[in-house]
Amino acid sequence: MALIVQKYGGTSVADADRIKDVARRIAATRDEGNQVVVVISAMGDTTDRLIELAYQMAREPSERELDVLLSTGEIVSSTLLAMTLRDMGYAAISLSGAQAGIHTDSAHSRARILEVESKRVIKELETGNIVIVAGFQGVTGEMDVTTLGRGGSDTTAVALAASLGAEVCQKYTDVEGIYTADPRLVPEARLLSDIGYEEMLEMAGYGARVVHLRAVELGELYNIPILVASSFTQKPGTLIHGGASMEVRNKVTGIAHDLDIAKITVVGVPDRPGIAAAIFQPLAKAGINVDTVVQNASIDGVTDLTFTMAKRDLSEAMRVIEPIAKLIKARECISDSRVGKVSVIGTGIQSHPGYAARMFTALSERGVNIQMISTSEIRITCIIEEAGVEDAVRALHRAFELETGE
Ligand code: ADP
Ligand code: ASP
Ligand code: MG
């Protein structure tokens, strides 16, 4: 008898029929003799609708209240699923994040899991229950409800799998697994049979939101294999795991893209020690996650500094940065939210310097202007105009012949 954690996303439980379908899948896993813990997302676009409602009530809804409100989406789906399973004759119980022992810090809307106290879940499993846990939520030491950030149910699932010592965490979603690029954008994208944590971290971190980045981080840390498969079919899906990916010979594994970025350029910055710290320390203090940073070579002791962040952080970043720019006697701050990024990812990149040239050539052939470049050992990222991102993804997919996998 194995212990399996399964996670079902919003599309998979969008209406009553879908919930019944998911219940049948869970029942089949139970019938095979497994203990089953299920983590569930809110139905369909419930979370978006709740956010819209909150913003109809207040210009800046209280973060604490907003977290309680959003957590209800997952409570609804978990209870409906437990009722369905019980009606089918299976012992099942729903638990909120707090009841399931998901303890977090108090950073509302982006809380981090500090500890999973799985006593209650284990007790329910031992009494023979299928345990349905409301995803995306936790509780602080003060018993305040928190949420883990959009897409956070994946992280709940992997955290539970790690704390329970589950064999595998299975994520069932609306695609058949991890593809070489977002299949909604690139119809000829190829399904990967497996992918290493390292590459998946780069894919998820650079825009492939098919698995929550922090779920992959936890998977790697606790060595929990994560299977990503469709909740609509019985196909085998993609296994995210440690060790070398079988696709390694392919050198480039996939293309990720992200439209949710904005950039700020601080123009005419005096080039002297301490300036970067003066700019980035206050941003970090304001909780703004700065991504790519580029500083030009200085001319006559003056330089430009450009960096990117999530679009939602742009106005706050400008609010923080403008007074500092004045203080350090920079000329001006320019913001631009019409940018996006495309990344080429694969463990083969580290040993093949030619891949960067191939990427830049493919982009130039499409008339794309590269504004910034950043790299890791296994990734090359270009910041480009937002309007050109989708075309760039398709062009890169062709340039690296990812549809054939040769
Ligand atoms: P869930 O609600 O089940 O967590 P998500 O919508 O968060 O599902 O993630 C699935 C979506 O991720 C897919 O519908 C797909 O459009 C998108 N996606 C982006 N990049 C990829 C990729 N490389 N492979 C598969 N899906 C991807
Ligand atoms: N319901 C939340 C969201 O839409 C969490 C999740 O689905 O993972 O972001
Ligand atoms: Mg998701």
Side-chain angles (χ1 to χ4, degrees):
M1 183 169 64
L3 170 60
I4 292 177
V5 175
Q6 298 189 330
K7 183 258 169 178
Y8 292 89
T11 328
S12 308
V13 291
D15 55 38
D17 284 342
R18 292 293 309 145
I19 292 178
K20 285 183 186 161
D21 221 48
V22 162
R24 281 190 285 271
R25 286 173 164 264
I26 296 165
T29 310
R30 182 81 182 112
D31 288 344
E32 284 161 15
N34 301 300
Q35 288 185 314
V36 193
V37 174
V38 178
V39 174
I40 202 84
S41 283
M43 293 168 71
D45 59 1
T46 301
T47 309
D48 292 327
R49 282 195 291 106
L50 291 173
I51 292 173
E52 270 170 35
L53 255 178
Y55 278 89
Q56 282 174 27
M57 301 300 138
R59 260 165 304 162
E60 269 187 63
S62 141
E63 286 196 315
R64 181 189 176 280
E65 303 305 328
L66 191 58
D67 267 0
V68 179
L69 177 70
L70 297 193
S71 72
T72 63
E74 270 70 9
I75 304 281
V76 169
S77 52
S78 63
T79 52
L80 292 177
L81 185 57
M83 287 174 200
T84 314
L85 279 161
R86 291 172 71 89
D87 189 63
M88 288 163 62
Y90 289 81
I93 186 169
S94 70
L95 297 177
S96 69
Q99 289 174 314
I102 311 284
H103 296 286
T104 72
D105 63 18
S106 54
H108 285 291
S109 82
R110 52 177 188 284
R112 295 216 154 237
I113 298 175
L114 300 175
E115 193 201 351
V116 180
E117 197 187 311
S118 38
K119 271 197 323 250
R120 177 74 188 271
V121 174
I122 292 169
K123 189 185 119 205
E124 298 301 344
L125 285 172
E126 280 169 354
T127 59
N129 272 314
I130 298 170
V131 182
I132 318 284
V133 178
F136 170 61
Q137 55 186 270
V139 68
T140 67
E142 304 283 293
M143 296 300 287
D144 278 323
V145 173
T146 52
T147 62
L148 309 180
R150 297 305 306 268
S153 297
D154 294 353
T155 297
T156 308
V158 180
L160 273 168
S163 96
L164 296 167
E167 232 164 68
V168 62
C169 180
Q170 303 172 335
K171 167 177 169 137
Y172 291 102
T173 182
D174 57 5
V175 282
E176 306 238 307
I178 315 286
Y179 287 77
T180 47
D182 188 340
R184 284 180 209 273
L185 215 72
V186 186
E188 64 276 18
R190 188 169 43 88
L191 182 65
L192 299 168
S193 61
D194 75 321
I195 183 169
Y197 291 122
E198 215 190 343
E199 287 175 318
M200 195 59 226
L201 281 172
E202 297 276 12
M203 291 282 284
Y206 283 78
R209 298 204 167 79
V210 53
V211 188
H212 202 225
L213 175 63
R214 283 156 52 195
V216 189
E217 284 171 355
L218 283 180
E220 182 176 36
L221 191 62
Y222 293 98
N223 204 16
I224 305 288
I226 305 169
L227 178 80
V228 180
S230 168
S231 65
F232 295 78
T233 69
Q234 298 292 339
K235 304 260 176 69
T238 306
L239 192 68
I240 308 171
H241 63 101
S245 152
M246 282 165 69
E247 307 276 337
V248 122
R249 64 188 171 77
N250 193 32
K251 310 292 192 293
V252 164
T253 301
I255 313 288
H257 74 282
D258 196 349
L259 296 173
D260 180 25
I261 66 159
K263 91 179 173 187
I264 293 178
T265 303
V266 191
V267 184
V269 182
D271 191 13
R272 57 166 197 266
I275 290 288
I279 291 178
F280 293 114
Q281 258 169 14
L283 287 171
K285 233 184 176 168
I288 293 164
N289 206 349
V290 171
D291 184 31
T292 312
V293 180
V294 171
Q295 182 180 333
N296 292 339
S298 71
I299 300 172
D300 297 332
V302 177
T303 182
D304 293 346
L305 195 70
T306 305
F307 52 91
T308 62
M309 70 233 79
K311 276 195 170 74
R312 65 180 172 281
D313 289 336
L314 179 62
S315 53
E316 174 70 0
M318 281 299 270
R319 204 184 54 72
V320 171
I321 215 73
E322 277 182 318
I324 293 166
K326 275 208 183 81
L327 210 69
I328 59 172
K329 300 201 164 43
R331 192 144 34 104
E332 59 175 331
C333 290
I334 303 170
S335 69
D336 185 356
S337 59
R338 289 155 310 154
V339 288
K341 55 188 170 190
V342 278
S343 303
V344 167
I345 290 147
T347 46
I349 286 175
Q350 52 198 343
S351 50
H352 282 260
Y355 283 121
R358 193 149 150 196
M359 178 178 195
F360 304 151
T361 306
L363 292 178
S364 79
E365 280 170 4
R366 302 300 302 171
V368 173
N369 181 39
I370 301 170
Q371 303 181 14
M372 297 163 81
I373 299 167
S374 84
T375 60
S376 79
E377 283 190 348
I378 63 164
R379 172 184 51 80
I380 311 165
T381 299
C382 292
I383 313 283
I384 63 176
E385 195 193 343
E386 186 177 31
V389 167
E390 298 195 351
D391 182 49
V393 173
R394 285 188 279 263
L396 290 169
H397 200 270
R398 278 194 303 275
F400 287 94
E401 294 166 359
L402 291 177
E403 66 286 358
T404 59
E406 292 307 317

